[in-house]
Amino acid sequence: MRLDQFLPYHLAITADIVSGELAATLHQVTELSMTEWRIMAVIGSFAPLSTKTVAAYTTVNKVRVSRAVSRLVQIGYVTRALDPADNRLLKLDFSPKGKAIFEVISAEATAWEGALLESFSDEEIDVLVRVLTRLRARVGELAPARRKAKVKLPDKLCAAQILTRSRRA
């Protein structure tokens, strides 16, 4: 195997670089860690939801998610409430302060994404998103039973919306 020709290597390195650079940008503005802003992004998109579901969306282990959620609760960005359907579960959502910081995260992340993608055509972005969506689906098909037992991501994440210049503007 040659790493320069090994797709999983390219995907991992690219994802790490992109996530790291975005995390550094967001940390300058919000002082949140990568895990914390990812949790904020998930809550902002899908709240209310459980810590277990947040862990699945972020692909961060439950212990790290739990610690980060505790910090977000402590600083007043996130609230925990009993799930009325199952009193054993806690649902996470934003406090008013959390909603405000989420707006900052959204604006900064969207601007950063626009700068990242500005040299790509709409067609190239469409192809990239479709290929990544198919790769995620294929990995799901190949995943061993232990992974299939984890929380299933909603179809709206598995079939990501195609980015367009108007969305990035």
Side-chain angles (χ1 to χ4, degrees), residues 16 18 35 42 55 96 115 126 128 140 158:
D16 189 54
V18 169
T35 301
V42 169
D126 291 348
L128 176 62
C158 296

Side-chain angles (χ1 to χ4, degrees), residues 11 126-138 158:
L11 291 171
D126 291 348
V127 169
L128 176 62
V129 172
R130 281 196 307 272
V131 168
L132 291 173
T133 301
R134 285 183 61 196
L135 275 170
R136 280 193 307 273
R138 184 64 181 140
C158 296

